[in-house]
């Protein structure tokens, strides 16, 4: 395989880590497949996130703590009859926050919490309008309460959404940011590294092709739709679905496409 200049840039950037694990490569191929059901897609994404997340947290620091470890009865003679043994262990120093980008980032959250159960979770919702990211939801606390934030998004395409979230987090005041993704486009990863050289990136693999419409190829399709089994709505107006002022018109337009008679408002209720 020929190594391109872009490959060289990514490979030699210390803040970019692309997993080389053969099992991850196998699992990513399974997730790409059109034959993969939403249930299997969710399961594989969880597995991939756990292992990619494990690699992404390698630079977290620890401090020593005193531990008391129970001693089996048969070993009590060797410990002068003590039923516990005192030793030194380690605990994480940083306050960690996970920031799943809605919707698809939700599929990565549980696996990351298995790695760092004490982490906080702050949601940011984004959608695209004419190739530009638009924020529609933000649950960051007013005061930054984290030392490091991990942005969770299964795929990095143009990186416009990721760059927007990075900007939001930097304005929030977090000192360290780490992007965790299953697949990243070559162009998107380079763009993040160029505009935010202090941000770390961990991905399962890199796809080279990015269409003019901002679609990664081969990619894995629309991660949110595949994750939740959402039926495809052709020409859907995402902004209209999210803003209550346009929702009534959108429901009547989309009702026939979804084959739903007299669509009930509760189906499209969004919390604020």
């Amino acid at each position: 395989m020929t190594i391109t200049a872009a490959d060289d840039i990514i490979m030699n950037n210390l803040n970019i880590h692309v997993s080389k694990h053969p099992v991850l490569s196998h699992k990513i191929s399974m997730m790409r497949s059109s034959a993969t059901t939403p249930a299997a897609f969710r399961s594989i994404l969880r597995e991939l996130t756990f292992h990619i997340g494990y690699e992404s947290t390698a630079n977290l620091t620890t401090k020593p703590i005193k531990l008391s470890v129970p001693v089996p009865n048969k070993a009590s003679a060797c410990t002068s009859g003590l039923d516990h043994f005192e030793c030194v262990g380690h605990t994480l120093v940083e306050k960690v926050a996970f920031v799943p980008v809605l919707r698809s980032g939700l599929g990565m959250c549980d696996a990351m919490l298995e790695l760092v159960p004490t982490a906080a979770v702050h949601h940011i919702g984004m959608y695209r309008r004419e190739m530009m990211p638009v924020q529609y939801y933000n649950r960051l606390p007013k005061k930054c309460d984290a030392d490091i934030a991990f942005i969770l998004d299964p795929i990095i395409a143009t990186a416009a959404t990721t760059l927007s979230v990075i900007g939001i987090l930097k304005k929030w005041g977090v000192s360290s940011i780490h992007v965790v993704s299953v697949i990243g486009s070559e162009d998107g990863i380079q763009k993040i590294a160029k505009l935010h050289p202090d941000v770390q990136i961990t991905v399962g693999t890199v796809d080279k092709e990015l269409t003019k419409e901002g679609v990664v190829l081969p990619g894995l399709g629309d991660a949110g739709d595949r994750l939740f089994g959402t039926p495809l709505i052709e020409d859907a107006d995402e902004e209209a679905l999210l803003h209550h002022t346009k929702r009534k018109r959108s429901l009547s337009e989309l009702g026939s496409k979804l084959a739903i008679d007299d669509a009930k408002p509760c189906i499209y209720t969004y919390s604020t």
Side-chain angles (χ1 to χ4, degrees):
M1 183 178 68
T2 304
I3 303 297
T4 65
D7 292 328
D8 191 59
I9 291 172
I10 292 175
M11 290 168 58
N12 292 314
N13 189 318
L14 297 179
N15 278 346
I16 301 174
H17 174 70
V18 182
S19 180
K20 299 295 189 294
H21 202 292
V23 174
L24 288 187
S25 180
H26 168 73
K27 293 284 187 180
I28 290 171
S29 296
M30 291 174 62
M31 196 165 70
R32 290 189 197 270
S33 174
S34 300
T36 301
T37 64
F41 190 93
R42 288 191 294 270
S43 177
I44 297 169
L45 178 58
R46 184 187 182 105
E47 293 176 25
L48 284 168
T49 302
F50 186 87
H51 294 289
I52 296 171
Y54 181 82
E55 296 182 18
S56 72
T57 54
N59 291 328
L60 293 178
T61 57
T62 62
K63 63 181 180 181
I65 58 169
K66 293 182 178 180
L67 293 178
S68 179
V69 184
V71 176
N73 291 334
K74 60 184 179 181
S76 60
C78 301
T79 57
S80 302
L82 296 175
D83 57 358
H84 287 79
F85 186 80
E86 303 299 323
C87 69
V88 176
H90 298 86
T91 187
L92 291 175
V93 172
E94 292 91 349
K95 291 183 178 179
V96 177
F98 296 137
V99 184
V101 180
L102 306 181
R103 294 177 298 163
S104 55
L106 292 173
M108 304 174 71
C109 201
D110 285 350
M112 293 298 288
L113 283 171
E114 289 180 16
L115 285 169
V116 189
T118 57
V121 179
H122 306 308
H123 302 85
I124 293 180
M126 306 288 288
Y127 72 92
R128 289 199 310 173
R129 182 176 63 195
E130 297 178 357
M131 297 287 289
M132 295 300 295
V134 179
Q135 176 185 279
Y136 69 87
Y137 189 78
N138 186 327
R139 285 293 291 170
L140 290 174
K142 291 184 178 180
K143 183 179 179 181
C144 179
D145 59 352
D147 300 311
I148 181 169
F150 288 84
I151 298 173
L152 310 180
D153 201 351
I155 192 161
I156 300 170
T158 64
T161 295
T162 307
L163 290 170
S164 180
V165 175
I166 289 172
I168 291 169
L169 291 176
K170 285 191 171 182
K171 185 177 180 180
W172 183 47
V174 69
S175 58
S176 182
I177 298 172
H178 199 131
V179 179
V180 182
S181 189
V182 176
I183 297 173
S185 74
E186 196 173 72
D187 183 72
I189 291 173
Q190 288 188 85
K191 194 177 295 182
I192 296 170
K194 180 180 179 181
L195 296 176
H196 297 281
D198 57 322
V199 170
Q200 292 184 304
I201 305 168
T202 298
V203 295
T205 192
V206 177
D207 283 352
K208 294 183 179 296
E209 189 172 349
L210 183 68
T211 70
K212 63 180 181 179
E213 293 81 18
V215 177
V216 185
L217 295 176
L220 47 76
D222 187 301
D225 286 349
R226 297 194 66 189
L227 184 67
F228 297 108
T230 309
L232 176 65
I233 303 174
E234 294 182 2
D235 302 320
D237 185 346
E238 291 187 56
E239 183 180 15
L241 289 173
L242 291 166
H243 292 284
H244 65 87
T245 55
K246 301 182 179 181
R247 201 174 301 150
K248 185 175 181 181
R249 173 182 59 81
S250 298
L251 292 181
S252 61
E253 292 175 355
L254 293 174
S256 58
K257 295 181 181 180
L258 293 171
I260 297 176
D261 295 329
D262 299 323
K264 296 180 180 180
C266 62
I267 296 175
Y268 299 92
T269 298
Y270 295 83
S271 61
T272 57

